[in-house]
Amino acid sequence: MLSFFKPAQRFLKGAVLGLSALTLAACLPDGGGPTISTSNPVPVALLVPKGSSNSGDAVLAQSLENAAKLAIADLEGVQIDLRIYPTAGDPTTAHASAVQAVNEGAKIIIGPVFGEAANAAAKAVATRNINVLSFSNNTSIAGGNLFVLGPTFQNTADRLVNYSVRSGKPNILVVHAQNESGRLGKVAIDAAIASQQAQAAGSVSYQFSQEGVIAAVSQIKLTADANNADAIFLTSNTSGALPLMSQLLPEAGLSPATTQFMGLTRWDIPSQTLELPGVQNGWFALPDPNLTQQFQTRYAQAYGGLPHPIGGLAYDGIAAIGALVEAGTSNALTTGALTQGAGFQGVNGIFRLRADGTNERGLAVATIRDKKVVIIDPAPQRFGGAGL
């Protein structure tokens, strides 16, 4: 397939015009999605958690709707007929809304947010040959006609392990909590170590409590020394074990100066995390900060406030659809089109959808120096470059 990224023509144009596929019709399968007329407005359903009893979901729903409309406004030569459907954050409502959307002509669905609701929506329209681009990051629901747009543990694990190997630190020890998030994080890191030609320096788990963290520190130290660990990959976040873990490990003799600390979560969120002594010089991954800032600025100019942290995913969904429809082929919304290898340019950087329903996103590697975020390896501009 011949495809390539277009340069930006005006603000965020790159985020909308992600690619042009010159021979798209010749190399995509006929099935896995509906045929469309690209010369007419394309009906797109946006499923958002409007009507939820959780007050925060109303803010999220509005942010997703705003971001989608912003993306449509930035399209050139592509018409999108966007229709909004509420899910109330509920699987049953999401199922009904998905059916209603397709009955009313939708050719593709963007959303819902929550994993169970997304799964219900996708199942509701699977026999209707309709793909669903959900905002979830739960890879366990991905596959078939359901794609997840949300950032995943696997994206971060792959990026950091790759960078660690290239930096001469291939021997990686995994430290994770004995809970669902910790276990999923370990699975992602283990997969990254296997695929990125790194070496496993063992793993240590801990009970998800202050006592559990304290009790695990000596074992982490012993395991790191016994296996000559170059790096320690922590799955915890600031609301969990990260503050205590990053304090106790150096006190136990695992100095960040000699053993690289890196994290599966954003160490710049909340900003107070940057003040922790133990995270200084640690590594974490984040979306392209320049593109993120551009989107936030544009959104604020249009709507008078900042978008929800995942609001940009709605923009990305429209970006992918717009880029494929612009190519002018009737199978633009098939599974084969959605998963083409060149990917798309989103508001937070490049991304592409995989045949298994998961996604790959181009991330930057950052460190913390003097309590400030410093990018040490920029986000890639296209797939196939460093870190991908």
Side-chain angles (χ1 to χ4, degrees):
M1 178 188 300
L2 298 177
S3 54
F4 57 90
F5 288 102
K6 283 188 173 183
Q9 295 178 358
R10 68 178 210 215
F11 177 80
L12 284 180
K13 258 306 161 264
V16 179
L17 298 178
L19 61 95
S20 288
L22 301 182
T23 59
L24 197 60
C27 58
L28 294 181
D30 292 331
T35 58
I36 62 170
S37 170
T38 57
S39 60
N40 296 320
V42 178
V44 175
L46 177 65
L47 271 58
V48 296
K50 187 179 296 184
S52 167
S53 59
N54 184 339
S55 60
D57 287 347
V59 175
L60 172 56
Q62 189 61 58
S63 187
L64 291 166
E65 182 177 338
N66 289 346
K69 290 179 178 178
L70 196 62
I72 291 172
D74 284 337
L75 290 171
E76 290 181 354
V78 173
Q79 300 179 71
I80 301 293
D81 178 10
L82 185 69
R83 304 173 187 183
I84 315 298
Y85 297 86
T87 68
D90 172 68
T92 301
T93 306
H95 182 286
S97 291
V99 171
Q100 180 185 353
V102 176
N103 286 344
E104 294 177 354
K107 298 299 184 181
I108 193 167
I109 292 173
I110 306 178
V113 175
F114 306 113
E116 291 185 1
N119 197 39
K123 287 183 176 180
V125 299
T127 59
R128 308 285 292 274
N129 208 30
I130 298 296
N131 284 309
V132 176
L133 309 183
S134 76
F135 303 128
S136 174
N137 65 350
N138 184 349
T139 58
S140 68
I141 65 172
N145 68 325
L146 177 56
F147 296 87
V148 294
L149 289 173
T152 66
F153 281 163
Q154 198 62 61
N155 277 310
T156 299
D158 286 341
R159 182 66 167 102
L160 288 175
V161 170
N162 177 281
Y163 183 73
S164 192
V165 170
R166 290 191 289 115
S167 300
K169 301 177 181 181
N171 209 25
I172 300 171
L173 169 64
V174 183
V175 176
H176 67 97
Q178 295 169 3
N179 57 18
E180 185 65 12
S181 177
R183 284 188 289 269
L184 291 174
K186 180 184 183 298
V187 168
I189 297 169
D190 286 345
I193 288 172
S195 66
Q196 302 291 331
Q197 298 182 330
Q199 299 164 15
S203 66
V204 177
S205 65
Y206 56 88
Q207 183 181 354
F208 189 59
S209 66
Q210 180 172 321
E211 295 77 12
V213 172
I214 294 171
V217 169
S218 60
Q219 185 59 49
I220 296 170
K221 167 65 172 169
L222 288 171
T223 305
D225 289 346
N227 296 326
N228 297 313
D230 299 313
I232 297 177
F233 209 143
L234 304 169
T235 65
S236 55
N237 59 23
T238 305
S239 63
L242 180 62
L244 185 58
M245 188 72 74
S246 64
Q247 171 193 334
L248 295 180
L249 290 180
E251 291 178 359
L254 284 170
S255 170
T258 57
T259 305
Q260 182 64 54
F261 291 0
M262 52 189 178
L264 197 59
T265 61
R266 291 279 296 271
W267 286 7
D268 60 329
I269 298 175
S271 60
Q272 292 91 329
T273 308
L274 300 175
E275 304 289 326
L276 299 175
V279 304
Q280 304 305 307
N281 300 312
W283 296 345
F284 64 98
L286 75 169
D288 187 315
N290 293 327
L291 291 177
T292 300
Q293 182 60 52
Q294 287 179 16
F295 172 61
Q296 291 176 342
T297 299
R298 175 71 189 285
Y299 185 98
Q301 290 172 344
Y303 300 110
L306 291 175
H308 187 279
I310 70 166
L313 296 179
Y315 197 114
D316 287 355
I318 295 295
I321 292 169
L324 293 169
V325 171
E326 186 192 28
T329 61
S330 62
N331 57 0
L333 301 183
T334 62
T335 300
L338 291 167
T339 58
Q340 54 76 44
F344 310 95
Q345 184 70 42
V347 293
N348 294 311
I350 59 171
F351 72 97
R352 63 182 172 188
L353 301 173
R354 299 168 58 94
D356 64 1
T358 63
N359 68 71
E360 292 181 71
R361 288 184 174 271
L363 301 173
V365 178
T367 191
I368 302 171
R369 294 176 185 159
D370 298 325
K371 304 177 182 180
K372 296 180 180 179
V373 176
V374 177
I375 301 299
I376 54 177
D377 198 36
Q381 300 302 304
R382 62 179 61 246
F383 287 100
L388 292 171

